[in-house]
Amino acid sequence: MFAGTLKTFSIISLIQTCHNDGSSGTIEFSRKETVIGKIGFEDGNIINASFLGIKGIGAIKQLILLEELDFQFNERIILSEKNISTDINFILIDCSRHKDEAREYISKIRRLFSIKYNADHVIFYEYRHLVFTSPEIFNIKYFEEFNGKDFTVVYLDKNIHARIELLFEKKILTNDLLMFMKSKDIGRL
Amino acid sequence: MKLESNRAPAFKFVETNHFVKSVIIYNNDKTAYFPTIENGKKLYFDKIITLYKKRAPGSHLLLCTPKEFIYLYKRIETIYICECTNDISVSQVKMEFDTFIEDSNKQGKFPKILTALFNR
């Protein structure tokens, strides 16, 4: 059993390690001790992945964009459901490409929101808020929070199917923001 | 403000606004649901309420899903949550619910004012 954080160990490296070792078991990804994602292995091959209601390779593509999750490999957890049958080398290439494209895309989004709204930061959302941990109850496409000081928005970007967090210096009218996202063809409700 | 004083206005708000599915009010360690909601959602909202107990008054939260809007507003020590369908605009949801919160608080204060007047 090994554990750590994605800040110091990338998912690509994790997958390669499990593959080279011919491991069977599950890597659990958690935030504040709540498991929000899993990648299951059988004899070094990925057989299952899930992340907050997303299943299959799409789940790995979401997880690969994040850096603030903790992970733990547990060989005692063997997932029975198989939702991935793709060759592991193809998965690694596909996910690496997705990560590069997503990084390029978020630079474009950063420029877009900085010009229009003077956004403080634009990053991939790291699932800090518990509202996202129950997608079976509420599948959230847009999140907005004002805590008396900061105005934070998290939206599901339709082009990369990932959540992006925006932090603004002041409150912005929700309708204005939603219309802007619609006009730029990035948000989806 | 007593939680019971909100019972009638909250039910009336749900009944008179077709887009409102439920209203949840937390005050003084008690949570009231208008009307009652399923247990899964109750647990979900309870977690959010626990989080917002620590937040500053005036804080708000808005969630949009393919089916509904959920709007939370913290006024002094009370947390108000409104679950709505999404067939109206977000701004209208906010406006209607903010008005409801202000109105229900004004109503809560009337008896105190009247009592004070009668005691003179």
Side-chain angles (χ1 to χ4, degrees), chain A residues 149-164:
Chain A
K149 188 176 162 238
D150 298 321
F151 186 74
T152 308
V153 166
V154 177
Y155 77 95
L156 184 65
D157 194 289
K158 64 186 278 188
N159 298 311
I160 51 167
H161 309 289
R163 290 197 168 92
I164 293 177

Side-chain angles (χ1 to χ4, degrees), chain A residues 129-134 137-148 151 171-172 174-175 178 189, chain B residues 40-41 44-45 47-48 51-52 55 58-66 68 70 83 89-91 94:
Chain A
H129 207 295
L130 58 86
V131 295
F132 291 97
T133 56
S134 303
I137 297 176
F138 293 118
N139 184 12
I140 300 157
K141 306 289 185 191
Y142 174 91
F143 162 94
E144 166 190 305
E145 184 181 55
F146 178 68
N147 63 8
F151 186 74
K171 271 189 189 179
I172 294 167
T174 311
N175 275 8
L178 290 173
L189 277 188
Chain B
K41 279 187 181 178
Y44 185 86
F45 287 128
K47 280 183 194 170
I48 294 179
L51 186 75
Y52 269 78
R55 295 288 165 91
S59 297
H60 86 247
L61 173 82
L62 174 75
L63 307 177
C64 302
T65 80
E68 61 259 289
I70 294 128
E83 186 191 0
S89 73
V90 173
S91 59
K94 283 183 173 181

Side-chain angles (χ1 to χ4, degrees), chain A residues 45-182:
Chain A
N45 291 308
I46 298 176
I47 55 159
N48 179 299
S50 63
F51 175 66
L52 292 174
I54 306 165
K55 290 185 175 185
I57 293 177
I60 305 176
K61 284 184 171 179
Q62 297 287 296
L63 282 162
I64 211 159
L65 302 176
L66 307 175
E67 291 179 347
E68 292 184 11
L69 296 179
D70 296 322
F71 69 82
Q72 183 170 301
F73 180 80
N74 192 333
E75 55 195 12
R76 283 175 296 182
I77 302 174
I78 307 289
L79 302 170
S80 55
E81 186 198 344
K82 291 188 180 184
N83 57 33
I84 294 177
S85 55
T86 315
D87 178 75
I88 197 158
N89 291 310
F90 179 81
I91 295 172
L92 287 170
I93 293 166
D94 192 29
C95 288
S96 297
R97 188 173 55 217
H98 173 71
K99 192 175 182 178
D100 291 342
E101 285 171 357
R103 277 182 177 165
E104 205 173 302
Y105 180 79
I106 205 161
S107 300
K108 184 184 145 194
I109 294 295
R110 198 170 284 137
R111 282 195 298 275
L112 205 65
F113 279 100
S114 297
I115 293 165
K116 173 80 175 172
Y117 294 109
N118 198 19
D120 262 13
H121 77 216
V122 180
I123 55 168
F124 290 117
Y125 181 58
E126 291 281 356
Y127 293 86
R128 294 183 189 91
H129 207 295
L130 58 86
V131 295
F132 291 97
T133 56
S134 303
E136 71 286 358
I137 297 176
F138 293 118
N139 184 12
I140 300 157
K141 306 289 185 191
Y142 174 91
F143 162 94
E144 166 190 305
E145 184 181 55
F146 178 68
N147 63 8
K149 188 176 162 238
D150 298 321
F151 186 74
T152 308
V153 166
V154 177
Y155 77 95
L156 184 65
D157 194 289
K158 64 186 278 188
N159 298 311
I160 51 167
H161 309 289
R163 290 197 168 92
I164 293 177
E165 177 183 305
L166 316 161
L167 181 70
F168 301 99
E169 289 173 349
K170 57 179 182 182
K171 271 189 189 179
I172 294 167
L173 284 174
T174 311
N175 275 8
D176 192 44
L177 207 52
L178 290 173
M179 278 170 68
F180 178 69
M181 287 175 185
K182 197 177 175 186

Side-chain angles (χ1 to χ4, degrees), chain B residues 43-87:
Chain B
L43 286 171
Y44 185 86
F45 287 128
D46 285 349
K47 280 183 194 170
I48 294 179
I49 287 167
T50 304
L51 186 75
Y52 269 78
K53 280 182 199 173
K54 298 167 199 160
R55 295 288 165 91
S59 297
H60 86 247
L61 173 82
L62 174 75
L63 307 177
C64 302
T65 80
K67 290 179 184 171
E68 61 259 289
F69 296 140
I70 294 128
Y71 176 52
L72 175 152
Y73 185 80
K74 183 172 183 183
R75 189 189 187 280
I76 313 175
E77 292 294 308
T78 310
I79 297 165
Y80 297 87
I81 302 172
C82 180
E83 186 191 0
C84 304
T85 56
N86 62 0
D87 53 356

